[in-house]
Amino acid sequence: MLKYATFIVPMLLRLGNTSSSAKDVQSQIGVLALMSVAITFFLAAVFTWVAKTYSLDIAFLVIALILAAAAIVLSLKRRIAKASALQDTIDRDAKLKGVLAAKADPLSEYIPDEILTHPVVQKVLAQIEDRPFLAALVAVVLGMIVSNQLLDNSE
């Protein structure tokens, strides 16, 4: 059982880092199914051993404590991930405001703070910040398309 657990646990730890293709999703479902069967057998073995060694009451108590500890750990992990994501968003918002103010962009004074804090605008600005060359290229292409459409309509 320990051999299977040492094989499956690293896969579970890497679940969030994989791409979401159909094969990856199928393999994740397979891993989760096998892990749930392994956990069920582990809990049954612990229950049986504790029931034989001590008593049935203590066996139920031990299983309840194991499940409660697992639930608490998963809950704390989720809260920490949410807090980290929120802090990353706040840091990125502050960084974007600082970048706009530091560049002394003549248009930055006309952009209201409500727009900068909007999630969609933050995603777009983050993509522009991550890939400035590609963003400039897209802006030029869109400008050319719009100008061609406007000039073609005027004839």
Side-chain angles (χ1 to χ4, degrees):
M1 185 63 75
L2 184 60
K3 179 174 71 171
Y4 297 124
T6 57
F7 177 72
I8 292 174
V9 168
M11 288 182 182
L12 288 176
L13 293 176
R14 285 181 281 163
L15 272 181
N17 298 335
T18 60
S19 63
S20 60
S21 69
K23 288 183 180 180
D24 287 339
V25 171
Q26 289 174 351
S27 66
Q28 290 175 3
I29 290 172
V31 167
L32 290 175
L34 291 174
M35 191 64 177
S36 64
V37 170
I39 289 172
T40 303
F41 283 127
F42 174 75
L43 290 176
V46 168
F47 181 83
T48 305
W49 179 76
V50 172
K52 277 184 174 181
T53 306
Y54 299 104
S55 71
L56 201 56
D57 296 337
I58 294 178
F60 278 110
L61 180 66
V62 167
I63 296 300
L65 289 176
I66 289 173
L67 293 175
I72 289 170
V73 167
L74 291 175
S75 175
L76 289 176
K77 183 178 176 183
R78 184 173 180 209
R79 284 185 186 177
I80 290 171
K82 276 187 174 181
S84 175
L86 178 65
Q87 186 61 37
D88 290 345
T89 304
I90 291 171
D91 290 345
R92 177 161 272 187
D93 182 37
K95 184 177 179 183
L96 287 174
K97 285 183 181 179
V99 165
L100 287 176
K103 288 185 177 180
D105 186 12
L107 298 177
S108 65
E109 64 187 29
Y110 298 111
I111 300 174
D113 289 338
E114 296 85 29
I115 292 176
L116 283 177
T117 58
H118 194 274
V120 175
V121 174
Q122 285 183 351
K123 287 180 184 177
V124 170
L125 290 176
Q127 289 177 356
I128 290 171
E129 182 184 342
D130 291 341
R131 299 179 198 96
F133 180 75
L134 184 62
L137 183 66
V138 168
V140 168
V141 170
L142 285 176
M144 290 174 56
I145 291 171
V146 169
S147 66
N148 282 337
Q149 291 297 321
L150 290 175
L151 292 176
D152 286 342
N153 289 338
S154 64
E155 293 178 357

